[in-house]
Amino acid sequence: MRRSDLAKLMSRAKEYPMPPTPQKSCDKCGKPNRLQARFCGHCGQPFAPAGSEQEGRSHQGTRRLPTSVLLLLAISAVVALLVYTNPSPDHYRAFVQRELVEAATTPEERFVASLFTPLLGWGIDAFTERTNYYVFSVYATHLNTAGGLKAIGILGTFIVVETPQAFSPRPPAHARSV
């Protein structure tokens, strides 16, 4: 490289100066030092670790997940919980049997219901339609009244939506077509 080329480069360097590097000043002597310095390069005074600077270093290697990813994970966890706790037809049968025993008003009715209700398991299955939506299920036990027993099974429990006026079962549409 010739001397004239070097002079041109030096003049251009003056036209486009480098941006100043961030520095911190020493509390004792006031001279500038690098941000990463732990001791003053002029007087040897140690720099006190700043609270925000120390916190910045401790979290420097960790990354936060975006809010959309956290929201997606939360929704996925709720859906997985609902799918896992969706009650089965066996749970519904036990629920109806328990409801029949509890619906008895006198001790004699309760005694008879507790004896014969376990035998009605096949009848409950025959008169019940289940619509499974994966996160919850709708159970409809058809009776000869204006409605029937309808319940929503969700989170391992049942929410009764409609109760029958009297208990006189009739088979659901798919069982009657035979």
Side-chain angles (χ1 to χ4, degrees), residues 70-82:
L70 292 174
L71 182 63
L72 182 64
L73 287 173
I75 291 171
S76 299
V78 168
V79 168
L81 176 71
L82 289 173

Side-chain angles (χ1 to χ4, degrees), residues 116-151:
F116 291 108
T117 302
L119 300 175
L120 294 176
W122 64 270
I124 294 170
D125 291 341
F127 295 107
T128 300
E129 289 182 36
R130 176 183 188 224
T131 307
N132 187 9
Y133 295 104
Y134 298 108
V135 294
F136 69 93
S137 295
V138 177
Y139 293 87
T141 303
H142 300 282
L143 305 171
N144 280 338
T145 61
L149 177 66
K150 289 187 181 175

Side-chain angles (χ1 to χ4, degrees), residues 10-100:
M10 293 298 285
S11 68
R12 282 198 178 159
K14 290 178 185 173
E15 291 176 21
Y16 304 105
M18 293 285 292
T21 57
Q23 297 180 341
K24 61 181 173 183
S25 299
C26 176
D27 292 337
K28 186 175 179 183
C29 69
K31 303 251 175 150
N33 288 280
R34 294 178 305 127
L35 282 178
Q36 298 83 10
R38 294 166 64 185
F39 297 93
C40 178
H42 302 282
C43 68
Q45 175 75 22
F47 290 113
S52 62
E53 191 176 311
Q54 194 74 341
E55 289 171 11
R57 282 191 202 135
S58 65
H59 296 293
Q60 205 169 21
T62 60
R63 293 185 332 195
R64 290 187 58 202
L65 290 175
T67 306
S68 59
V69 172
L70 292 174
L71 182 63
L72 182 64
L73 287 173
I75 291 171
S76 299
V78 168
V79 168
L81 176 71
L82 289 173
V83 168
Y84 181 72
T85 60
N86 186 5
S88 69
D90 294 335
H91 290 106
Y92 180 73
R93 186 180 321 113
F95 168 74
V96 171
Q97 290 171 346
R98 191 173 51 248
E99 288 293 312
L100 287 173

